[in-house]
Amino acid sequence: FNSRSCIYYYICAIALICGIVPSLALLGNYNVTPASAARKTLSNITTMQEMTPEICANSALGQSNTLTDTRDGKAYSISRLADGNCWMTSNLALDISKANSLSSDDTDIAEGTTWPETDIETPMETEDGTWTTDNNAILFAKHPVKLAGNDGVYRDEYGYYYTWCAATAGCKDSDGNNPANNVDAISSICPKGWRLPRSGTGTTNEFAIVGGIPTTTNITKGTNYWSNGAKNPSFTNGILTVNNSKWLAAGATSVAGFYYGGSYGYYWSSTADTADHAYHLFFSNRSFGPAHSYNKYDGRSIRCLTPASSTDFPDRFDEKDVEVVAVRVAPVISIDATSGMKEEVDPNKITTGTISATVSANTTY
């Protein structure tokens, strides 16, 4: 019995053990996740309302799908973008004109509530339609008509346009007040499991991050980051491409009518600037402004996101409720040669002698 036959024996034993535990990951970096969530990615769901932070986190960067909003049956393209979050890559087109049409079962509003409580106007559908200068107004436009002197023509892919108080389902902060001073609204008309992006000054502006601006950059109000932060921005045929994400220059609506379709993009965030102004993403052919601020009564586009972290929805995801977990652990195998060895084994030559060894693996833990 020599070391060559011994080595052969232990190689077979090692192969057997490795075959038992090949899928286990590194023990020192183990992850605990719901087993059901671990089996789902963007490719395994069909509706917007099925989305969770765990499903987003399980999806590969760049993974995409088309999901249906259960509230009206409309479909939206979805992708996990370079910032790690899952975004709508098409614009929201939700009719909010019917009273009590949205509930917490399908919409990003407080648990057990419905919204809106009263019918909502849809002005600007005809040349006689009028907008408003009331910053607390809840209005939206489906197919706004271009008024004299304004640029751009409406296209269906632009989606609908909402005042900020419409976009945030009532413009309330956690204390029930109209948000201001970099405070976020607590609700939105996004599907359940989704929310409006956060904007404002500082380092947590999600428009800036998805645009490739480093998280160490202190975003300032109204600054153009086209050539000093945004990653590979370009603008062609009314579409902004930045950090591998694409945004439609859908224009906006206001008291001046529908304007700048195909030339400028305006997307609401959940973040207020003042009692009358809120932050939004603004871009054009040479501008990328993740923290622009303007009147809350303007009608702007909406794209929602699902973060790849459950901490963003602390009141809607309780980690203590997880009953089954999957723990990934690395294979650990030890061979302990203890007797009959007069010197350290040289792997380049045959060593004879009696070897006693113990082979073990962490198959129980």
Side-chain angles (χ1 to χ4, degrees):
F1 183 75
N2 58 38
S3 63
R4 175 172 289 178
S5 60
C6 179
I7 290 170
Y8 176 80
Y9 173 83
Y10 292 125
I11 288 174
C12 293
I14 292 168
L16 175 61
I17 295 167
C18 291
I20 296 173
V21 291
S23 63
L24 301 179
L26 185 61
L27 177 61
N29 295 314
Y30 71 88
N31 292 314
V32 178
T33 57
S36 58
R39 293 192 296 269
K40 285 188 176 182
T41 69
L42 271 175
S43 300
N44 304 126
I45 60 175
T46 59
T47 69
M48 298 287 287
Q49 282 76 6
E50 290 177 86
M51 176 63 79
T52 66
E54 290 67 42
I55 290 175
C56 180
N58 290 334
S59 303
L61 292 180
Q63 187 172 345
S64 301
N65 198 2
T66 299
L67 303 180
T68 300
D69 190 338
T70 61
R71 298 174 294 184
D72 57 8
K74 291 180 180 174
Y76 298 96
S77 58
I78 307 298
S79 183
R80 190 177 186 198
L81 298 183
D83 65 338
N85 296 325
C86 293
W87 289 73
M88 293 174 58
T89 52
S90 49
N91 294 359
L92 187 70
L94 177 69
D95 187 335
I96 58 171
S97 62
K98 297 178 180 179
N100 299 316
S101 60
L102 308 179
S103 77
S104 58
D105 292 334
D106 54 30
T107 304
D108 178 36
I109 57 178
E111 197 69 30
T113 64
T114 57
W115 188 89
E117 297 177 354
T118 59
D119 289 340
I120 293 173
E121 295 182 38
T122 57
M124 302 192 66
E125 305 306 308
T126 68
E127 293 183 3
D128 296 329
T130 58
W131 203 251
T132 180
T133 56
D134 178 3
N135 283 301
N136 293 306
I138 298 175
L139 301 173
F140 82 108
K142 296 181 182 178
H143 300 89
V145 173
K146 180 184 73 171
L147 301 184
N150 289 317
D151 297 327
V153 176
Y154 176 78
R155 293 158 47 183
D156 287 341
E157 58 264 37
Y158 289 166
Y160 295 171
Y161 302 82
Y162 306 85
T163 61
W164 192 73
C165 285
T168 59
C171 51
K172 303 293 183 182
D173 63 16
S174 58
D175 295 323
N177 301 318
N178 190 343
N181 302 322
N182 250 36
V183 172
D184 291 295
I186 60 171
S187 300
S188 75
I189 59 172
C190 293
K192 182 177 182 179
W194 299 77
R195 61 169 173 78
L196 290 173
R198 293 167 182 156
S199 180
T201 57
T203 60
T204 59
N205 186 307
E206 289 173 322
F207 289 130
I209 297 170
V210 78
I213 299 175
T215 55
T216 55
T217 301
N218 187 36
I219 301 300
T220 56
K221 180 178 175 179
T223 299
N224 177 12
Y225 289 92
W226 182 272
S227 58
N228 64 335
K231 186 175 181 180
N232 301 324
S234 64
F235 188 90
T236 304
N237 297 326
I239 299 174
L240 168 73
T241 301
V242 59
N243 199 23
N244 294 320
S245 64
K246 295 183 182 297
W247 300 76
L248 291 172
T253 57
S254 188
V255 291
F258 172 69
Y259 57 94
Y260 295 149
S263 300
Y264 295 86
Y266 308 86
Y267 288 80
W268 279 130
S269 76
S270 62
T271 312
D273 180 18
T274 68
D276 294 331
H277 290 180
Y279 284 105
H280 62 273
L281 168 66
F282 164 76
F283 62 84
S284 63
N285 63 344
R286 294 294 298 173
S287 297
F288 181 78
H292 274 243
S293 173
Y294 203 62
N295 295 309
K296 292 178 178 177
Y297 63 69
D298 261 25
R300 306 214 180 290
S301 304
I302 289 178
R303 285 195 183 178
C304 308
L305 71 86
T306 294
S309 169
S310 62
T311 58
D312 281 62
F313 293 108
D315 58 334
R316 296 164 209 175
F317 181 86
D318 187 354
E319 296 185 357
K320 294 180 295 184
D321 290 341
V322 176
E323 297 178 355
V324 180
V325 296
V327 181
R328 297 182 175 89
V329 187
V332 178
I333 300 173
S334 63
I335 301 178
D336 183 18
T338 59
S339 65
M341 302 297 294
K342 297 180 180 180
E343 60 183 15
E344 183 178 353
V345 175
D346 184 346
N348 297 312
K349 65 180 183 179
I350 297 175
T351 302
T352 61
T354 302
I355 301 174
S356 172
T358 301
V359 181
S360 62
N362 59 333
T363 54
T364 60
Y365 39 85

